[in-house]
Amino acid sequence: MIRCSQEWLEPVYWRIHEKLLECGLLHMDETRIQCNKEEGKLPGSESFMWVMRSAASEEIQAAFFFYSRSRSGENARKLLKSFDGYLITDAYSGYDTVPDIKRSLCWSHVRRYFIESIPLDTKSDRTGGSAAP
């Protein structure tokens, strides 16, 4: 199974990545994950899953997942090496290391700060007249 995956599926995986880099607009994020049985890492230590996704306006609709032991901006630089379009992300500074991209911030992340700035009513989870959670 491993050999079959390496020979037949891995080239498809990297082709998806290649096609995503041809897009004009991508979304990207890195998410903490925990791998308990990884050689050279303590159980419970954090690793990261980097996710790259084409925008709804793009002809190709695909997602690419890349596991990394760190959140280093070097991962972003490697994954986006030949990309020169617009990249929608959170405000993580690791993306600043990528040359030739046009940074755009994700409205979901921006909205989160507005919601957090609204004081909550002490009797409920909502402020009167507000849709804030």
Side-chain angles (χ1 to χ4, degrees):
M1 288 301 292
I2 292 172
R3 184 172 170 215
C4 179
S5 294
Q6 289 171 332
E7 291 182 12
W8 294 96
L9 298 178
E10 193 171 332
V12 173
Y13 170 79
W14 288 109
R15 180 69 174 150
I16 291 169
H17 178 252
E18 184 180 311
K19 294 302 284 182
L20 283 170
L21 294 178
E22 295 173 4
C23 291
L25 178 61
L26 292 176
H27 298 268
M28 196 161 172
D29 195 25
E30 67 294 333
T31 303
R32 288 176 172 81
I33 60 171
Q34 185 179 3
C35 293
N36 288 329
K37 293 183 180 179
E38 185 175 3
E39 191 174 322
K41 286 193 89 167
L42 295 172
S45 59
E46 291 181 338
S47 296
F48 292 84
M49 185 64 69
W50 292 73
V51 183
M52 181 186 299
R53 173 80 170 95
S54 56
S57 60
E58 294 294 333
E59 186 175 326
I60 182 173
Q61 293 297 299
F64 178 83
F65 295 82
F66 181 81
Y67 169 80
S68 174
R69 294 173 69 134
S70 78
R71 192 181 183 207
S72 166
E74 180 63 27
N75 292 306
R77 191 170 36 255
K78 282 193 289 189
L79 290 170
L80 296 164
K81 187 175 183 178
S82 65
F83 182 66
D84 65 354
Y86 289 89
L87 183 67
I88 300 173
T89 67
D90 57 13
Y92 174 49
S93 62
Y95 295 105
D96 293 338
T97 67
V98 182
D100 303 323
I101 62 169
K102 297 160 206 77
R103 294 278 311 271
S104 302
L105 294 180
C106 171
W107 281 106
S108 291
H109 287 87
V110 173
R111 185 190 71 203
R112 184 180 308 155
Y113 295 111
F114 283 113
I115 291 172
E116 289 173 358
S117 71
I118 299 171
L120 297 177
D121 185 328
T122 57
K123 297 176 190 150
S124 69
D125 290 342
R126 293 186 184 273
T127 300
S130 170

